[in-house]
Amino acid sequence: MTDEHGEPAPLDGNGLGGVLGAFLGVDVTDAILVCDGCGRQQVLAALVVFGAGPGGVARCRGCSHVMLRVAEIRNELVVDLRGTTRLRLRRP
Amino acid sequence: MPGPLPWLPAYLVERRPETAAAATLVLGVPGWPGHLPGQHVDVRLTADDGYSTQRSYSLAAPDHGATVELTVQRVADGEVSPFLVDDLAIGDPVELRGPVGGWFVWSPTLPTRTLLVAGGSGVVPLMAMVRARHEAGAAAPMRLVYSVRTPDDVLYAAELERRGRLDEGLEIHVVHTRRAPPGDARPTGRLTREEIGSLAWPATEEVLTYVCGPTGFVDQVAGDLVALGYDDHRIRTERFGATGG
């Protein structure tokens, strides 16, 4: 998936719902994350995501700060949350 | 969601051509847990040599038990979509993971007005909402604004025309960006902020809005709605890349 410049086109956080749900057992697309760069609150679904599917990098829609990295490696899910100050989940 | 989402085996039951470049795949999924309008699935294909790849596709119909419908638009240089649209045969297996998404979802029990704005194949999850509203006999008003290149690219054209005519409280507005049908008074071109303002309810009304399409389209429309006074928190968005792969 590329844009007219041959760069990967960004998706949004909805695309990470599958891999996160597969490991966490809850839907987190409506989880609220607070950006460590600019303080903006946004739902996971609204983050700018590059490379959804088995993994991806999610950036703040306000300041493009990297907030979340997700990688599915064999039987493990690795989530790097540097860039996110706060993660708020609703009880399922 | 009752627990971690497993990959479920699914089989192609029926393929319905929608346009020259898109088809609806009806998949049988034993053990499908059900879903809500607006949710999507991850589809995984695995080749004989073990190479595997996956994509996300929106569910086009409301929950009907053990079958789900995906409408897939063929991306010319895509890896997955040409195979799904053209080559997957009746009875062939794929794997599905889902339903995915708790945010970009709609329910026919919502009492508020719903504004749906679609760009291209972004209409697919919104069609699940239109169909769910019809099946539930829901009364709350709904408007669909559907931006599409030409009349030949309109997905679900006949059904949308019928729904718009017969379903009380439902309005369908199709706008063409490249070529309009004969007799269309609207000049071709992209949706403008003024046009969105005239097709949407005033920002003073309570409206829940769903926007789905390519990233640039969604960002433009969501920005226009906020500029028109719509509450950012009442706008739900779903973006896809160039168009899915």
Side-chain angles (χ1 to χ4, degrees):
Chain A
M1 235 174 300
T2 58
D3 67 12
E4 64 272 28
H5 308 296
E7 297 294 321
L11 306 168
D12 66 23
N14 290 297
L16 292 176
V19 65
L20 290 170
F23 282 86
L24 302 176
V26 291
D27 176 74
V28 290
T29 57
D30 65 348
I32 294 171
L33 296 91
V34 178
C35 175
D36 191 31
C38 68
R40 180 183 169 116
Q41 291 196 31
Q42 53 218 303
V43 291
L44 176 73
L47 296 183
V48 181
V49 170
F50 293 86
V57 174
R59 291 177 177 270
C60 174
R61 192 156 292 280
C63 72
S64 297
H65 190 67
V66 172
M67 293 177 63
L68 178 74
R69 296 178 183 83
V70 177
E72 186 179 357
I73 304 167
R74 290 180 294 277
N75 293 321
E76 277 194 333
L77 177 73
V78 182
V79 180
D80 182 337
L81 273 166
R82 275 175 299 177
T84 296
T85 336
R86 223 163 38 247
L87 171 64
R88 288 163 53 196
L89 299 169
R90 280 187 314 142
R91 191 189 305 276
Chain B
M1 196 181 297
L5 290 175
W7 286 103
L8 297 170
Y11 305 88
L12 184 65
V13 174
E14 183 191 348
R15 173 193 279 104
R16 284 199 302 269
E18 298 284 358
T19 65
T24 292
L25 309 181
V26 182
L27 298 164
V29 197
W32 180 249
H35 63 271
L36 301 168
Q39 290 189 303
H40 68 270
V41 293
D42 294 339
V43 176
R44 182 165 74 178
L45 298 173
T46 304
D48 291 338
D49 64 3
Y51 171 73
S52 140
T53 187
Q54 66 187 60
R55 293 290 187 278
S56 296
Y57 293 103
S58 291
L59 293 156
D63 188 23
H64 290 153
T67 59
V68 302
E69 296 190 14
L70 313 178
T71 303
V72 180
Q73 182 100 23
R74 188 192 304 111
V75 177
D77 56 353
E79 183 186 22
V80 174
S81 60
F83 175 79
L84 290 177
V85 173
D86 301 321
D87 300 328
L88 190 70
I90 301 297
D92 277 357
V94 297
E95 289 175 289
L96 290 194
R97 182 168 67 191
V100 181
W103 190 67
F104 196 81
V105 293
W106 182 83
S107 163
T109 61
L110 290 170
T112 54
R113 295 174 160 90
T114 304
L115 174 65
L116 310 175
V117 188
S121 53
V123 75
V124 176
L126 308 183
M127 190 63 186
M129 300 175 189
V130 169
R131 288 169 165 167
R133 181 183 183 279
H134 172 76
E135 290 179 13
M142 176 180 272
R143 283 182 192 166
L144 169 65
V145 180
Y146 179 11
S147 169
V148 65
R149 287 181 183 177
T150 77
D152 297 336
D153 298 309
V154 177
L155 293 171
Y156 322 118
E159 185 180 349
L160 282 174
E161 189 278 322
R162 196 167 65 243
R163 288 278 85 81
R165 189 157 39 81
L166 299 178
D167 288 11
E168 188 85 19
L170 175 70
E171 286 180 33
I172 309 281
H173 301 276
V174 180
V175 300
H176 301 88
T177 60
R178 302 270 178 88
R179 178 169 57 82
D184 189 343
R186 179 188 181 274
T188 55
R190 295 190 174 196
L191 265 178
T192 63
R193 181 176 301 172
E194 292 68 31
E195 201 173 9
I196 293 171
S198 71
L199 295 173
W201 286 281
T204 47
E205 305 281 349
E206 193 179 341
V207 182
L208 192 53
T209 303
Y210 295 81
V211 188
C212 186
T215 297
F217 175 86
V218 171
D219 289 348
Q220 182 75 46
V221 170
D224 286 342
L225 286 165
V226 170
L228 288 163
Y230 270 59
D231 179 359
D232 197 19
H233 298 290
R234 305 281 286 166
I235 303 172
R236 300 190 179 192
T237 50
E238 185 162 84
R239 301 162 179 84
F240 44 84
T243 33

